[in-house]
Amino acid sequence: MDGSQLATYLKCIKDTEINEVVSSIFIKTGETRELAYKIFDEIWKIHPNLQTTQSSAWWFFILLPKQEKGYGPRQMMFSYASRAGHLIAVRDKWQKGFDVDTVGEPNSKFMTTVVGWNNDGDEVHEEIVHEGAEAHLSPEGYLEAYNTVDGKQYGARIEISKAHELGIHANFEGRNGHAKFEVWSDPDDPEAAPQVSHISPPVLGRFFNVNLVAWRKVNFKGMFKTPKGEEELEGLGYFQRVLFNGPLGPWIWIWTVFEDHSVFSAFIPYLGLHNARRADGHFSDFMENRLMKIVPTAYFLNEADPDNKETKFKKVDVKIHNANQDLYENLPIVKLRVRNKEGDHLNVTIRAHGHAQFHLDRAVLKQTWMSRWNYNEFMVHVDHIEGSVKGKSIKTNMKVMGEGWGNMEYTWGMSL
């Protein structure tokens, strides 16, 4: 794929092709910066030609402030959560979903829910912002959704940063606090620049496809207010814009960052009895691990090896531990083993220390039944990482890496 083909792809993505992350195309030709800006422009597009009656759209920030032991345990999440349908609810707040027949460019308008939580290290404040409103998405580089109540605006606006060459300025204003911050990265660093993926199976691509812009590591700085007060924070984070055009099923997604800025991440879509589970509680350990993985992937960005920084893995084994079925009393431990055909391998143990949640409900069958997708975010610590990457040993007690902290999405149920 050359530059002209990429431009065509970015303008109108074909339904029948499977596109991998394409940053390496421009890295080889020294055009990383050009690609970074092209992909950054994708953040402000919703691609109505890809939408189905079961589409959802998400703009999503995870922020980890710099702390005494790396980037934890404190962290924050802020997001726009949007879903097609006549009637949907995000965390029990009911509203119209967006209409795929009226979602269009260049100035898209659709219903969304702005949500955000803040883990201050002692407790998780889940209702910093929770506002259903009409969103306005502009290709000029902004997305905003506000309600006005008693003369005050609640909701959010994100827009192209004026302070950074490649960045976003964000303002999330809630009834229990706010977040006003910038995220940015170096457009010449391919691992830190935004990347795009499009997955569209042959024949079925019109009915199910995923279009993702992932900014896998960003800097952030801003002011954050909870019911306990306001403070200025800075650190590292993750941003993505994802268009999920099809039914939402269960997955496990992990993103962690170490003190030296190395990153480990894994994504494990799966099927099992979990698809039919609506309740908050877990199964027994035995039943929780009866799942069928669907094309799992993982990657490791090793800051200690700049010549071979990124390693990808396509073999991912996962083991979930949560003997107590009460979701709120006993947070899960997840163990992963990742491998690739080159012989690289890592064993990673992730332990949750905090939890935030919402249900995504959608009326189906003319509102006679509600489908439910149970979305859980766990704040996690990397208890153990060990293996070999590019012939070099990776160990938990390596002082150069330091402590690892991050976020884990663990979802179940189905949003039909």
Side-chain angles (χ1 to χ4, degrees):
M1 183 185 294
D2 60 23
S4 62
Q5 289 173 315
L6 178 63
T8 301
Y9 159 71
L10 293 172
K11 183 177 181 181
C12 183
I13 301 167
K14 296 179 181 179
D15 290 344
T16 57
E17 60 184 74
I18 298 177
N19 295 282
E20 297 292 337
V21 173
V22 296
S23 61
S24 59
I25 299 164
F26 276 67
I27 293 168
K28 294 177 181 178
T29 61
E31 296 176 344
T32 305
R33 176 179 289 266
E34 181 181 349
L35 178 63
Y37 286 116
K38 285 182 180 291
I39 294 175
F40 184 79
D41 288 343
E42 284 289 291
I43 292 171
W44 319 105
K45 298 178 182 178
I46 200 168
H47 290 294
N49 59 304
L50 299 178
Q51 301 293 327
T52 74
T53 56
Q54 295 180 319
S55 288
S56 55
W58 312 76
W59 287 258
F60 173 92
F61 297 88
I62 283 287
L63 307 174
L64 277 64
K66 178 65 177 174
Q67 294 152 73
E68 290 185 7
K69 294 184 177 181
Y71 295 90
R74 304 176 66 177
Q75 65 178 267
M76 298 85 78
M77 186 284 295
F78 297 95
S79 178
Y80 297 79
S82 313
R83 184 75 164 90
H86 294 294
L87 188 63
I88 66 166
V90 178
R91 199 176 171 88
D92 301 321
K93 181 165 285 190
W94 289 93
Q95 64 185 49
K96 284 185 176 181
F98 65 78
D99 187 341
V100 297
D101 294 326
T102 60
V103 171
E105 295 180 301
N107 289 295
S108 303
K109 292 186 177 181
F110 52 91
M111 294 304 298
T112 192
T113 303
V114 180
V115 292
W117 51 257
N118 187 319
N119 177 359
D120 65 10
D122 296 320
E123 62 180 302
V124 181
H125 304 277
E126 291 198 65
E127 292 283 335
I128 296 298
V129 56
H130 182 196
E131 201 73 30
E134 183 179 66
H136 181 196
L137 175 65
S138 171
E140 296 179 1
Y142 69 85
L143 169 64
E144 67 176 9
Y146 284 110
N147 283 331
T148 301
V149 181
D150 297 329
K152 295 183 179 180
Q153 283 193 319
Y154 299 109
R157 178 183 172 98
I158 63 174
E159 60 189 338
I160 296 174
S161 172
K162 296 178 181 178
H164 297 93
E165 187 177 359
L166 187 69
I168 293 175
H169 175 78
N171 182 16
F172 287 80
E173 193 69 46
R175 305 181 191 220
N176 296 307
H178 62 235
K180 301 176 182 181
F181 58 91
E182 298 262 345
V183 301
W184 72 93
S185 73
D186 181 355
D188 292 315
D189 182 352
E191 281 78 25
Q195 299 186 343
V196 63
S197 298
H198 184 66
I199 302 172
S200 182
V203 182
L204 297 177
R206 182 65 189 91
F207 306 100
F208 176 81
N209 64 83
V210 180
N211 183 263
L212 169 69
V213 176
W215 213 342
R216 300 184 300 174
K217 186 168 59 176
V218 295
N219 303 290
F220 86 87
K221 184 175 182 179
M223 299 297 296
F224 300 86
K225 184 179 180 180
T226 73
K228 290 186 176 180
E230 184 178 38
E231 59 186 326
E232 184 176 32
L233 298 169
E234 60 183 302
L236 296 177
Y238 176 96
F239 169 80
Q240 71 179 19
R241 188 280 279 143
V242 58
L243 308 177
F244 199 101
N245 301 310
L248 280 167
W251 64 63
I252 297 171
W253 175 74
I254 294 167
W255 179 82
T256 59
V257 63
F258 295 82
E259 287 183 61
D260 73 340
H261 298 187
S262 294
V263 171
F264 172 79
S265 182
F267 181 53
I268 307 131
Y270 67 92
L271 296 174
L273 292 176
H274 315 68
N275 291 71
R277 184 170 70 199
R278 298 169 63 90
D280 291 347
H282 289 282
F283 295 135
S284 66
D285 276 7
F286 176 80
M287 292 304 299
E288 199 71 25
N289 287 286
R290 304 281 77 78
L291 51 82
M292 181 177 70
K293 298 171 294 181
I294 304 173
V295 196
T297 59
Y299 65 84
F300 180 56
L301 301 179
N302 186 4
E303 289 292 333
D305 190 2
D307 294 329
N308 295 285
K309 189 178 291 187
E310 181 174 5
T311 303
K312 296 181 180 180
F313 306 90
K314 291 189 177 180
K315 295 181 179 179
V316 182
D317 298 322
V318 60
K319 187 77 171 178
I320 304 155
H321 297 272
N322 192 342
N324 186 334
Q325 296 185 38
D326 189 323
L327 183 63
Y328 306 99
E329 294 293 331
N330 190 21
L331 300 179
I333 296 172
V334 176
K335 296 183 177 181
L336 302 105
R337 176 171 172 77
V338 301
R339 295 162 288 160
N340 60 26
K341 62 182 180 181
E342 288 77 27
D344 303 310
H345 61 90
L346 289 171
N347 294 319
V348 185
T349 300
I350 304 294
R351 175 180 51 84
H353 61 85
H355 175 232
Q357 176 196 51
F358 67 73
H359 302 134
L360 178 59
D361 297 309
R362 183 174 186 264
V364 295
L365 300 176
K366 295 185 178 181
Q367 304 179 26
T368 59
W369 182 71
M370 305 294 175
S371 68
R372 167 162 287 190
W373 186 59
N374 200 322
Y375 177 80
N376 297 276
E377 289 182 288
F378 294 96
M379 295 116 254
V380 298
H381 177 259
V382 181
D383 279 1
H384 177 81
I385 182 169
E386 186 172 8
S388 177
V389 176
K390 310 296 186 186
K392 298 182 179 181
S393 178
I394 304 295
K395 293 182 179 179
T396 303
N397 60 2
M398 290 177 64
K399 293 183 179 179
V400 66
M401 285 182 63
E403 296 279 350
W405 303 86
N407 185 273
M408 176 175 69
E409 295 180 347
Y410 185 16
T411 75
W412 53 81
M414 291 284 288
S415 182
L416 301 175

